[in-house]
Amino acid sequence: MSSGNLLLSTMILLTVQLGASELGVIYNYDGDLTYNSFDAELNRRGIDYLFDSLTGTPVGTVTYSLASGTEIMNYPSRVASTWGWRKTPDLKNEKIAVRVEKARKLIDSGEDMYRYAAESCRERGMKFIPSLRINDWHFVGAPEKSFLCGKFALEHLGDYSIGAGGGSSPLAGYPEAKNLPDFARQEVRDFRLAQIAEALERYGDVSDGFELDFSRSYVFFAAGRAKENAPLLTDFVRRVRELVDAESTKQGRAFTLIARVPPTVRSCHFSGIEIEKWVEEKLVDVIVPSLLMTLYNDMPVEEFVRLAGPSGVRVYAGLYPRSGNWRWPFSTASRAENYRRPPVGEADLPLICGALANYWGQGADGIYAYNFGVPRNADDYAVLRAMGSLHALNGLPKDFALTPDYWLESENTFLPSKALPCEIESGKPVHFTLPAYEDPRSSRAKLLFRGFRLGFAGVSPESKMELKLNGITVFKGALSVGGVATSGRPSRQRAHAPAPEFYWQRVLPARAVLTGGEEKIELTLVTPDGSPATLCELILAFRYENSTAYLYRDE
């Protein structure tokens, strides 16, 4: 290769790297601090604190909700409703009433805290991108009673909603979703476009793009009508692209259009999102596959990367701090006392780092943090730092898990099918593929532990198990060897999957071979009475030496 071609190749590589990193970690904020005090100055301090707390972290871009829900705008809108536009029965709840009144009084007094947030963010060197949840469903259970239902949705329940004309919710078990506006109606699409146009006109001078949040929620059409109406949603995005490009030209700087979408290509199709066309036409600059509300440990980011690669559309993996199931934090020492406290539903640092390693390993261009709130302690900052790059994960603890639970249980709708919980017939092998993009040999840290933890319900210590990893038997014997019963119970039942009643844990033997990617697991369980059991949790854990002292042992 000539020196000229080498220089050109180097410049192209640098351009790609810079293009992928210019946004940094994208941090979504739901706007809860926008009107958090009756005192305007105290309110501004709260907003400043949010952005001060992100300064010095890998966060380079903040996407900030324009509305609470979709139609209760966080600024004095001429197009849509804003706080306190009507009195609702749920204002009898004191917390809701105070929240509404704070926002209403500040907006009525002429305060625009949304603009202040944009200015505060950009003053601290971060990009600011207004975000709109395209069809948020917080109000759908009781539209007439909810303070989060806007005038447009309320007045048109009978003619523009999914349920109008006999349409039904596409989500099994959630019939109330029929109260969402139906994007098959031109009037609905035009109303959303008017909201977006107003936001761009009002805040274009302090913005760096726009975000279309199709993940909160994923419902836009009646059951069975998504495929036929999908081109309407594509045309909607095309028109938003035109609005964003026009504002970019007006402001004289590049604007980024982001779309949060369902977590698999199949899920996109279910919702009426022609993701292939969006990418092919480059209608958006960044796509963010995201699960609803909970961490998706084994999200297939790679299928979006393959799809988006030729067009140059970037793929950011959506990350949540919640774990949908009840779990106990992993400990290398398997003791009964570890499981006497109630399990938790939050994702800890190892579980998040395992997901991050999988996202980077599949080729994600970056990480998108959702529902992380305002960082307050050292653990929050450790998680933020871990999002920065693949290198930032070096030496950090990782739990690679099969996702055991979702916030909603609507599998085979917009949610992909899960491997867990899995009922296991006695004596019949079951197979799993566990994404675990980790190669301890390339780590600069010293590996202390590498092994499995399995969580069961309906087993006894006398049950026999054979566990194979990539075709090699790594354990064969009774669950009593490495097993311990749990005694702490969940304080409230939110998760759909059962909490494990029994954990089995084991260090992987030296003969175990890991691929550093998609690990193949075969499990055969034989119960004493031949009854089936349930596998509730499967993780492959890595723990490293925290100190670097061992690096200097030869001094």
Side-chain angles (χ1 to χ4, degrees), residues 87-134:
K87 294 190 180 298
T88 56
D90 56 8
L91 294 181
K92 293 177 182 178
N93 181 310
E94 185 178 354
K95 289 184 177 179
I96 292 176
V98 171
R99 180 183 178 190
V100 171
E101 192 63 9
K102 286 175 182 176
R104 188 191 67 78
K105 283 195 171 183
L106 283 177
I107 290 174
D108 286 352
S109 69
E111 295 287 351
D112 186 348
M113 291 299 175
Y114 195 87
R115 172 168 287 275
Y116 185 84
E119 292 171 344
S120 180
C121 178
R122 299 181 88 237
E123 283 173 5
R124 286 155 179 78
M126 293 174 283
K127 294 180 182 294
F128 183 88
I129 295 182
S131 175
L132 182 65
R133 298 177 179 183
I134 300 303

Side-chain angles (χ1 to χ4, degrees), residues 78 106 211 254 452:
R78 300 185 308 273
L106 283 177
E211 177 178 70
F452 278 110

Side-chain angles (χ1 to χ4, degrees), residues 29 31-36 43 47 64-65 74 106 113-114:
Y29 187 66
D32 278 356
L33 282 176
T34 312
Y35 297 97
N36 198 45
N43 206 98
I47 292 171
Y64 197 105
S65 289
N74 285 323
L106 283 177
M113 291 299 175
Y114 195 87

Side-chain angles (χ1 to χ4, degrees), residues 34 42 60-61 68 103 113 178 234-235 294 351 369 398-399 414 499 505:
T34 312
L42 189 59
T61 302
S68 289
M113 291 299 175
K178 69 179 182 179
T234 298
D235 184 65
T294 42
L351 200 65
K398 299 178 186 71
D399 290 343
F414 68 83
Q505 184 170 311

Side-chain angles (χ1 to χ4, degrees), residues 206-259:
V206 288
S207 298
D208 298 283
F210 200 86
E211 177 178 70
L212 300 171
D213 189 347
F214 292 98
S215 300
R216 197 66 178 266
S217 60
Y218 304 124
V219 178
F220 310 100
F221 305 107
R225 299 176 187 171
K227 184 176 181 179
E228 65 184 272
N229 289 315
L232 299 176
L233 205 57
T234 298
D235 184 65
F236 170 81
V237 176
R238 193 177 289 118
R239 292 172 68 185
V240 174
R241 172 90 260 179
E242 293 170 357
L243 290 172
V244 170
D245 287 348
E247 189 62 29
S248 173
T249 300
K250 176 182 174 182
Q251 299 297 335
R253 63 177 185 276
F255 271 40
T256 301
L257 182 57
I258 302 172

Side-chain angles (χ1 to χ4, degrees), residues 276 278-285 305-314:
E276 295 89 349
W278 293 16
V279 164
E280 181 184 350
E281 295 186 27
K282 203 170 182 181
L283 299 180
V284 297
D285 302 302
V305 172
R306 288 197 306 268
L307 193 65
S311 69
V313 172
R314 287 167 281 179

Side-chain angles (χ1 to χ4, degrees), residues 407-551:
W407 190 264
L408 302 178
E409 288 297 282
S410 297
E411 289 183 70
N412 298 316
T413 56
F414 68 83
L415 293 174
S417 297
K418 298 185 281 79
L420 299 181
C422 175
E423 185 174 273
I424 303 174
E425 296 181 29
S426 182
K428 185 176 180 179
V430 291
H431 300 85
F432 304 98
T433 298
L434 175 69
Y437 286 80
E438 179 81 347
D439 183 0
R441 295 169 298 179
S442 65
S443 176
R444 303 299 187 268
K446 183 179 181 181
L447 182 66
L448 295 180
F449 179 93
R450 180 189 69 160
F452 278 110
R453 185 176 80 169
L454 308 182
F456 294 97
V459 299
S460 66
E462 293 75 30
S463 299
K464 301 289 197 309
M465 180 177 72
E466 182 175 10
L467 182 66
K468 293 183 179 180
L469 174 64
N470 297 319
I472 297 174
T473 298
V474 294
F475 177 81
K476 188 173 185 178
L479 288 181
S480 58
V481 181
V484 59
T486 64
S487 54
R489 297 268 68 85
S491 58
R492 57 190 178 92
Q493 289 292 339
R494 182 192 67 199
H496 299 271
E501 299 169 354
F502 188 91
Y503 273 118
W504 175 87
Q505 184 170 311
R506 194 79 169 173
V507 175
L508 281 180
R511 67 179 179 277
V513 176
L514 293 169
T515 67
E518 304 288 319
E519 310 295 353
K520 304 297 182 182
I521 298 164
E522 180 183 306
L523 188 155
T524 305
L525 192 69
V526 179
T527 58
D529 61 358
S531 61
T534 301
L535 180 66
C536 311
E537 178 188 291
L538 188 156
I539 67 168
L540 175 60
F542 292 82
R543 295 296 184 270
Y544 295 91
E545 173 65 67
N546 289 328
S547 171
T548 58
Y550 76 95
L551 294 173

